[in-house]
mmCIF file of all heavy atoms in Angstrom:
data_model
loop_
_atom_site.group_PDB
_atom_site.id
_atom_site.type_symbol
_atom_site.label_atom_id
_atom_site.label_comp_id
_atom_site.label_asym_id
_atom_site.label_seq_id
_atom_site.Cartn_x
_atom_site.Cartn_y
_atom_site.Cartn_z
ATOM 1 N N PRO B 143 74.543 80.117 91.780
ATOM 2 C CA PRO B 143 74.975 79.277 92.904
ATOM 3 C C PRO B 143 75.935 79.936 93.895
ATOM 4 O O PRO B 143 75.847 79.759 95.093
ATOM 5 C CB PRO B 143 75.711 78.117 92.221
ATOM 6 C CG PRO B 143 75.285 78.120 90.782
ATOM 7 C CD PRO B 143 75.002 79.565 90.536
ATOM 8 N N PHE B 144 76.814 80.740 93.332
ATOM 9 C CA PHE B 144 77.845 81.469 94.240
ATOM 10 C C PHE B 144 77.195 82.623 94.926
ATOM 11 O O PHE B 144 77.512 82.901 96.115
ATOM 12 C CB PHE B 144 79.024 81.932 93.382
ATOM 13 C CG PHE B 144 79.833 80.818 92.845
ATOM 14 C CD1 PHE B 144 79.497 80.309 91.660
ATOM 15 C CD2 PHE B 144 80.780 80.305 93.567
ATOM 16 C CE1 PHE B 144 80.187 79.260 91.039
ATOM 17 C CE2 PHE B 144 81.569 79.179 93.036
ATOM 18 C CZ PHE B 144 81.238 78.691 91.798
ATOM 19 N N HIS B 145 76.193 83.230 94.352
ATOM 20 C CA HIS B 145 75.465 84.266 94.952
ATOM 21 C C HIS B 145 74.618 83.763 96.089
ATOM 22 O O HIS B 145 74.554 84.327 97.135
ATOM 23 C CB HIS B 145 74.666 84.990 93.878
ATOM 24 C CG HIS B 145 74.085 86.374 94.324
ATOM 25 N ND1 HIS B 145 72.727 86.671 94.262
ATOM 26 C CD2 HIS B 145 74.670 87.381 94.864
ATOM 27 C CE1 HIS B 145 72.597 87.913 94.744
ATOM 28 N NE2 HIS B 145 73.719 88.374 95.174
ATOM 29 N N THR B 146 73.966 82.623 95.799
ATOM 30 C CA THR B 146 73.155 81.996 96.809
ATOM 31 C C THR B 146 74.009 81.591 98.006
ATOM 32 O O THR B 146 73.607 81.697 99.206
ATOM 33 C CB THR B 146 72.418 80.769 96.288
ATOM 34 O OG1 THR B 146 71.776 81.261 95.050
ATOM 35 C CG2 THR B 146 71.447 80.149 97.181
ATOM 36 N N PHE B 147 75.217 80.992 97.641
ATOM 37 C CA PHE B 147 76.133 80.543 98.720
ATOM 38 C C PHE B 147 76.520 81.696 99.635
ATOM 39 O O PHE B 147 76.449 81.608 100.912
ATOM 40 C CB PHE B 147 77.372 79.968 98.074
ATOM 41 C CG PHE B 147 78.385 79.447 98.990
ATOM 42 C CD1 PHE B 147 78.357 78.108 99.420
ATOM 43 C CD2 PHE B 147 79.445 80.217 99.462
ATOM 44 C CE1 PHE B 147 79.296 77.589 100.271
ATOM 45 C CE2 PHE B 147 80.298 79.722 100.402
ATOM 46 C CZ PHE B 147 80.286 78.436 100.802
ATOM 47 N N HIS B 148 76.831 82.847 99.003
ATOM 48 C CA HIS B 148 77.257 84.133 99.774
ATOM 49 C C HIS B 148 76.153 84.648 100.579
ATOM 50 O O HIS B 148 76.226 84.966 101.742
ATOM 51 C CB HIS B 148 77.810 85.183 98.723
ATOM 52 C CG HIS B 148 78.418 86.320 99.440
ATOM 53 N ND1 HIS B 148 79.533 86.216 100.249
ATOM 54 C CD2 HIS B 148 78.131 87.613 99.473
ATOM 55 C CE1 HIS B 148 79.959 87.392 100.706
ATOM 56 N NE2 HIS B 148 79.085 88.313 100.250
ATOM 57 N N LYS B 149 74.928 84.674 100.001
ATOM 58 C CA LYS B 149 73.703 85.105 100.711
ATOM 59 C C LYS B 149 73.408 84.249 101.879
ATOM 60 O O LYS B 149 73.031 84.814 102.994
ATOM 61 C CB LYS B 149 72.580 85.168 99.753
ATOM 62 C CG LYS B 149 72.387 86.526 98.949
ATOM 63 C CD LYS B 149 71.212 86.514 98.066
ATOM 64 C CE LYS B 149 69.986 87.009 98.903
ATOM 65 N NZ LYS B 149 68.890 87.296 98.054
ATOM 66 N N SER B 150 73.597 82.964 101.706
ATOM 67 C CA SER B 150 73.275 82.015 102.812
ATOM 68 C C SER B 150 74.364 82.141 103.877
ATOM 69 O O SER B 150 74.064 82.031 105.090
ATOM 70 C CB SER B 150 73.175 80.609 102.211
ATOM 71 O OG SER B 150 73.801 79.638 102.954
ATOM 72 N N PHE B 151 75.533 82.415 103.572
ATOM 73 C CA PHE B 151 76.680 82.594 104.477
ATOM 74 C C PHE B 151 76.405 83.789 105.378
ATOM 75 O O PHE B 151 76.548 83.705 106.557
ATOM 76 C CB PHE B 151 77.970 82.780 103.727
ATOM 77 C CG PHE B 151 79.109 83.114 104.601
ATOM 78 C CD1 PHE B 151 79.819 82.156 105.349
ATOM 79 C CD2 PHE B 151 79.738 84.422 104.680
ATOM 80 C CE1 PHE B 151 80.844 82.472 106.243
ATOM 81 C CE2 PHE B 151 80.875 84.734 105.437
ATOM 82 C CZ PHE B 151 81.381 83.692 106.218
ATOM 83 N N LEU B 152 75.850 84.917 104.746
ATOM 84 C CA LEU B 152 75.623 86.091 105.449
ATOM 85 C C LEU B 152 74.188 86.153 106.128
ATOM 86 O O LEU B 152 73.910 86.968 106.912
ATOM 87 C CB LEU B 152 75.726 87.356 104.590
ATOM 88 C CG LEU B 152 77.096 87.602 103.985
ATOM 89 C CD1 LEU B 152 77.053 88.794 103.127
ATOM 90 C CD2 LEU B 152 78.140 87.781 105.011
ATOM 91 N N GLY B 153 73.365 85.123 105.662
ATOM 92 C CA GLY B 153 72.055 85.016 106.215
ATOM 93 C C GLY B 153 71.162 86.157 105.713
ATOM 94 O O GLY B 153 70.338 86.715 106.394
ATOM 95 N N ASP B 154 71.424 86.562 104.428
ATOM 96 C CA ASP B 154 70.797 87.569 103.820
ATOM 97 C C ASP B 154 69.320 87.212 103.317
ATOM 98 O O ASP B 154 69.290 86.606 102.193
ATOM 99 C CB ASP B 154 71.666 88.238 102.630
ATOM 100 C CG ASP B 154 71.042 89.481 102.073
ATOM 101 O OD1 ASP B 154 69.999 89.926 102.581
ATOM 102 O OD2 ASP B 154 71.632 89.970 101.134
ATOM 103 N N ALA B 155 68.346 87.384 104.020
ATOM 104 C CA ALA B 155 66.970 86.979 103.633
ATOM 105 C C ALA B 155 66.171 88.280 103.387
ATOM 106 O O ALA B 155 66.664 89.386 103.474
ATOM 107 C CB ALA B 155 66.371 86.178 104.698
#
Side-chain angles (χ1 to χ4, degrees):
Chain B
F144 293 90
H145 194 231
T146 309
F147 183 89
H148 190 60
K149 275 182 82 168
S150 138
F151 176 74
L152 298 180
D154 186 358

